[in-house]
Amino acid sequence: MPVRFESKILSPEACARHIAKGDWIRPIVFTNGVFDILHRGHVTYLDQAAQFGGTLVVAINTDASARRLGKGPDRPLNNEHDRAAMLASLGCVSAVTFFDEDTPVQLIGLLKPDLIVKGGDYDMQTLPETTLVESWG
């Protein structure tokens, strides 16, 4: 029997098609991260992010992208497919996708979400993705 939550793991292009066709409820909320070892702080943050809109898209760093972040030679501990499955299994997450770059700016440009949400340890005004989202209102 197929696992239902795996249908929420999509390519960036598939996410963009859903948004363009109006398949997803707006506002579209976007967040990203490695989410290597999923913990209570992550799921609390994701649930709160989902409350800002109708659809929550979570983008995760690919394994190669995560390694470039310098978190240690053994990271990520869980591969990108396992991390995506864990996130997709959460009821508050509408879709999970991937990005291979060091930042999600290219993916955000493709998806054009209505909102981006980051954890409290980030200064939104210093992130390149903030400038991008603000550029389209």
Side-chain angles (χ1 to χ4, degrees), residues 12-65:
E13 296 76 18
C15 288
R17 281 192 301 274
H18 281 291
I19 293 169
K21 289 174 27 184
D23 294 340
W24 289 344
I25 301 168
R26 287 197 176 267
I28 306 294
V29 179
F30 175 94
T31 194
N32 67 281
V34 176
F35 298 104
D36 190 13
I37 303 171
L38 198 59
H39 56 75
R40 184 182 184 133
H42 286 140
V43 296
T44 299
Y45 158 72
L46 291 168
D47 187 71
Q48 290 172 338
Q51 294 178 50
F52 284 107
T55 300
L56 176 62
V57 178
V58 180
I60 63 170
N61 298 73
T62 61
D63 292 344
S65 173

Side-chain angles (χ1 to χ4, degrees), residues 7-124:
S7 67
K8 296 186 333 186
I9 303 170
L10 303 169
S11 70
E13 296 76 18
C15 288
R17 281 192 301 274
H18 281 291
I19 293 169
K21 289 174 27 184
D23 294 340
W24 289 344
I25 301 168
R26 287 197 176 267
I28 306 294
V29 179
F30 175 94
T31 194
N32 67 281
V34 176
F35 298 104
D36 190 13
I37 303 171
L38 198 59
H39 56 75
R40 184 182 184 133
H42 286 140
V43 296
T44 299
Y45 158 72
L46 291 168
D47 187 71
Q48 290 172 338
Q51 294 178 50
F52 284 107
T55 300
L56 176 62
V57 178
V58 180
I60 63 170
N61 298 73
T62 61
D63 292 344
S65 173
R67 281 191 289 276
R68 289 193 304 271
L69 293 176
K71 293 186 176 218
D74 59 341
R75 299 290 297 275
L77 298 175
N78 294 295
N79 71 53
E80 61 197 59
H81 302 290
D82 289 343
R83 291 182 284 125
M86 292 297 294
L87 291 166
S89 73
L90 299 174
C92 62
V93 173
S94 305
V96 179
T97 193
F98 305 90
F99 66 99
D100 194 43
E101 299 75 25
D102 292 343
T103 72
V105 170
Q106 183 177 338
L107 177 58
I108 291 169
L110 173 68
L111 301 182
K112 293 186 173 52
D114 300 304
L115 300 165
I116 57 170
V117 177
K118 293 293 286 184
D121 51 343
Y122 291 91
D123 178 359
M124 292 297 291

